[in-house]
Amino acid sequence: VPTITRFEEIEAWKTARELTKMIYSITDEGKISKDFGLKDQIRRASVSIMSNIAEGFESKTQALFIRYLAIAKASAGEVRSQLYVAQDVKYLTEQQFTTLFQMAEKASRQLSRFIAYLETHPDSHRIKEDSAVYEV
């Protein structure tokens, strides 16, 4: 397994970024764009997936990283739940719902696998700084 040196290399983060981009685009049009509560909530939940992966990666310990990944996974569930609301009130086409739902599920699966990997490889996330120079 190659060492990940930046959170941008994490597959689940890439998926979450794509999901967020799609959610922003879809919530900018149609009836959902006028439902400010749902629009804001689903956007914040999708951004939360990305943000928690990044924040966890930058944290000091592997245990903390795993905790942030679990929070990101919970946010992916929140997105899926909100997609059902948007579908039930006819804000989304069947195709939009399916595409977004599958993307959120993919992020969730990737996070589950990543968490499982980290839990079985306790030394796989160490903070390494090569030749770090600190200047004020």
Side-chain angles (χ1 to χ4, degrees):
V1 176
T3 302
I4 295 171
T5 58
R6 299 163 38 106
F7 69 79
E8 292 92 343
E9 298 168 18
I10 298 170
E11 289 304 317
W13 184 86
K14 293 176 189 176
T15 300
R17 181 182 181 194
E18 186 62 29
L19 172 65
T20 299
K21 194 167 77 174
M22 291 166 58
I23 283 179
Y24 267 75
S25 175
I26 285 173
T27 57
D28 252 352
E29 55 195 41
K31 289 182 183 175
I32 196 168
S33 68
K34 309 224 182 340
D35 185 332
F36 300 110
L38 181 60
K39 172 183 171 177
D40 181 58
Q41 192 65 26
I42 197 167
R43 283 180 169 192
R44 288 189 307 122
S46 66
V47 169
S48 176
I49 304 168
M50 294 175 63
S51 299
N52 279 292
I53 294 168
E55 197 171 345
F57 183 80
E58 299 289 337
S59 67
K60 286 192 182 319
T61 67
Q62 182 151 323
L64 205 49
F65 186 24
I66 290 169
R67 205 165 106 223
Y68 276 105
L69 292 175
I71 294 167
K73 186 173 170 5
S75 292
E78 184 181 355
V79 168
R80 292 197 319 272
S81 182
Q82 291 159 358
L83 287 170
Y84 279 115
V85 173
Q87 181 190 43
D88 290 346
V89 296
K90 310 269 191 277
Y91 287 169
L92 301 175
T93 67
E94 196 61 44
Q95 181 61 52
Q96 287 172 323
F97 172 83
T98 300
T99 301
L100 293 170
F101 194 89
Q102 287 173 344
M103 185 77 67
E105 269 190 327
K106 179 181 177 184
S108 189
R109 282 193 311 274
Q110 289 171 323
L111 286 161
S112 289
R113 286 194 301 268
F114 197 22
I115 290 166
Y117 173 82
L118 291 172
E119 287 174 342
T120 57
H121 295 79
D123 295 328
S124 58
H125 181 68
R126 294 212 182 255
I127 300 300
K128 296 184 197 97
E129 291 184 295
D130 300 328
S131 68
V133 177
Y134 299 95
E135 295 178 2
V136 180

